[in-house]
Structures are given as structure tokens and as C-alpha cells.
Amino acid sequence: MAMLDYAFMQRAFWAGALIGSIAPIIGVFLMLRRQALMADTLSHVSLAGVALGAVLGWNPAIAGFVAAILGGLLIEQLRRSYRAYSEMPVAIVMTSGLALAVVLMSLRSNLSQSFSAYLFGSIVAVSDTQLVLMAGVALLGAMYFIVLRRPLYSLTFDEETARISGIPVKWLSFSFAVFTGMAVAAAIPIVGVLLVSSLIVLPASLALRLARGFAAAIVIAVASGLTGIFSGLTASYYLDMPPGGTIALVLLLFLLAGIAGQKVRGWLARKNGRRATRSERDNGEFISMSAKDGESLSLE
């Protein structure tokens, strides 16, 4: 039988398409806001929620989903309390979430053995309920980024200017934290807690290296994310490898290939005696540094 003749592979590709269309967009915003580790942090908080749900007899998936949202809100609140130490809230919530998960898992002797799917992901075992949850997150994300794209853009690059211009910075930041938590919790069944940041950070990292504008970065991130997920799923099926790890490795290969290609283009440009363009420079800092350099960046 062909790969897509199996119902579980059909659900896996649908799940990959839904999460792959929204997670890389979040990654672009997180990286530009210097919050790349937020996805990892919320995945650990979600694991604590799953453990709590299992201990109390609740639905573990729903408990993890709610915990990730609350974790996002907590990070945003702490970020406002530690403005001079932007990395501190992430470290506090990450260690707290992981410690809570370990303690909760120790309360039941058989609990840790059932956590492998949450730790490493099992996209081929995605249920119809999880698929509906992912579809809801993807739909909300599409509406969220379409309606609020300009305020989010302003908030990402200059929070003070956004506040002066009348944008409700506090509530917009909290809503972004909530949605990030939702997306992380929805992505965990695909690659697991340990690799969830790969779906968010790696496509965004490639986009920020190659793109010359914000809109182009979004397009490249989504395209590379979807391609990596579909390629990883296909490779894992035919090579009999773990799908979560395979997807993460494919996305990493895309990033390394993009960096190498950029280096070659820069070398060829120097060899031909012309000045390298921004996308060909070795630092590949993209637009994330543009505000620091005093340069303007078009949303288009």
C-alpha cells in the first residue's frame, strides 16, 4: 500500500500541515523579540500540565494545553517585572516547569513510562481530537496574524514607539504569549517536548538568514517548515525512523544548507570583485539587527 493509503499517515500529514503553517510564523516573531527559548520553556510547562492531569485523572492533553497558556502569561508578567533581564523570566519558568513535571511524575510509578510520546512526539499516532485541536489553533492563528499583523510588527521592533502610537502593548503582548502557548501545546504531539522548538526556531532561523524583508521572512519560514515536516514524515515512513527526530534533523539540514549557500554566494561575489549584498554577507543578521543599526524595515 502507498504511504497515504493509511489513515494514520493521512492524519499525520494533516497535523504537519496545520502546525507547519503557524509555528514558523511564531518563530520569526519570537526570534526578533529575543525570545527564542520561549518555545522550549512552554513545552516544559506543558509537560508539567500533562503530568498534573495524569495524576488528578484529567485529560492530559487538555491539561498540558492549559498549562502552556498559563506559562506564556506568567513569562510575559515576569518579563515586565524584570525588564533589564529579559532572559530571566524564561529561565525561571523553564526550571520551575521541569521541576514540577519531575515531582508529579514521581507520584505515580507507572507514569514516566507513558510519557515517551510526550517527550519525543508521535505524529503518526495523532488522534482525531488532537487534529481538531490543531485545526482550531491554526485557524485562530491565521486570523490573529492577519488582523493584528501591523500592531505585532510595530511591537516586535520597537515596543516604546508602539506604545506611543496608541497600540495596547500590554494586552497585545499577553495575547501573543497566550497564542504561543497554544501553538506549543498543539505541536507537542508532532515532535514532542524535547524537540518542539525545532518546528518554531529552525524554519525561522533559515528565514532570517535568507530574507530581505519581513514578509519574505514569513513566507520562507512557512515554506521551509512545511517542506521539512512533509520530507521528514516521508523519510521516517520509508526508512523506519522516529518521525519527530527525523523532522527536526531535516529542518536542521535545511538551515545548514541555507547558511552554506549564503557563504558560497558571498565568496563568489567577492571573487567576482563586486560588493556582497546584505543577504550574501557572512553575518547573515537579516532584519533582526536593522533597528539597532537605525535602518527602517518595510512590513511588505
Side-chain angles (χ1 to χ4, degrees), residues 24-25 28 203 207 211 213-226 300:
I25 299 177
V28 172
F214 189 76
I218 295 295
V219 172
I220 293 174
V222 173
S224 61
L226 289 173
E300 307 302 327

Side-chain angles (χ1 to χ4, degrees), residues 35-219:
Q35 293 180 318
L37 289 178
M38 188 171 179
D40 252 343
T41 300
L42 294 181
S43 68
H44 287 81
V45 174
S46 180
L47 182 64
V50 169
L52 180 63
V55 169
L56 297 180
W58 301 342
N59 185 311
I62 300 300
F65 195 83
V66 173
I69 294 175
L70 294 177
L73 290 173
L74 180 59
I75 289 176
E76 186 58 33
Q77 184 60 47
L78 289 174
R79 193 175 70 87
R80 296 181 176 280
S81 301
Y82 294 96
R83 292 184 180 274
Y85 306 96
S86 59
E87 75 285 353
M88 189 174 293
V90 173
I92 292 173
V93 176
M94 177 183 286
T95 54
S96 301
L98 186 57
L100 182 59
V102 171
V103 170
L104 289 171
M105 284 190 292
S106 69
L107 296 180
R108 290 177 58 181
S109 58
N110 63 336
L111 190 60
S112 59
Q113 296 177 356
S114 63
F115 265 57
S116 60
Y118 290 100
L119 290 175
F120 303 106
S122 181
I123 190 173
V124 294
V126 169
S127 65
D128 291 334
T129 301
Q130 291 172 323
L131 199 58
V132 170
L133 190 64
M134 293 177 191
V137 171
L139 180 60
L140 285 175
M143 294 189 294
Y144 181 80
F145 287 116
I146 290 173
V147 173
L148 299 175
R149 65 188 186 281
R150 292 189 179 277
L152 281 171
Y153 172 85
S154 300
L155 176 68
T156 298
F157 285 98
D158 195 335
E159 190 169 314
E160 287 303 317
T161 301
R163 182 179 288 108
I164 293 172
S165 63
I167 295 174
V169 169
K170 179 180 179 180
W171 297 111
L172 189 60
S173 295
F174 275 110
S175 69
F176 181 76
V178 167
F179 183 70
T180 302
M182 293 170 59
V184 168
I188 285 177
I190 295 180
V191 291
V193 168
L194 300 180
L195 296 173
V196 69
S197 62
S198 64
L199 287 182
I200 295 175
V201 173
L202 293 179
S205 300
L206 176 62
L208 297 185
R209 291 285 303 194
L210 301 181
R212 299 186 183 184
F214 189 76
I218 295 295
V219 172

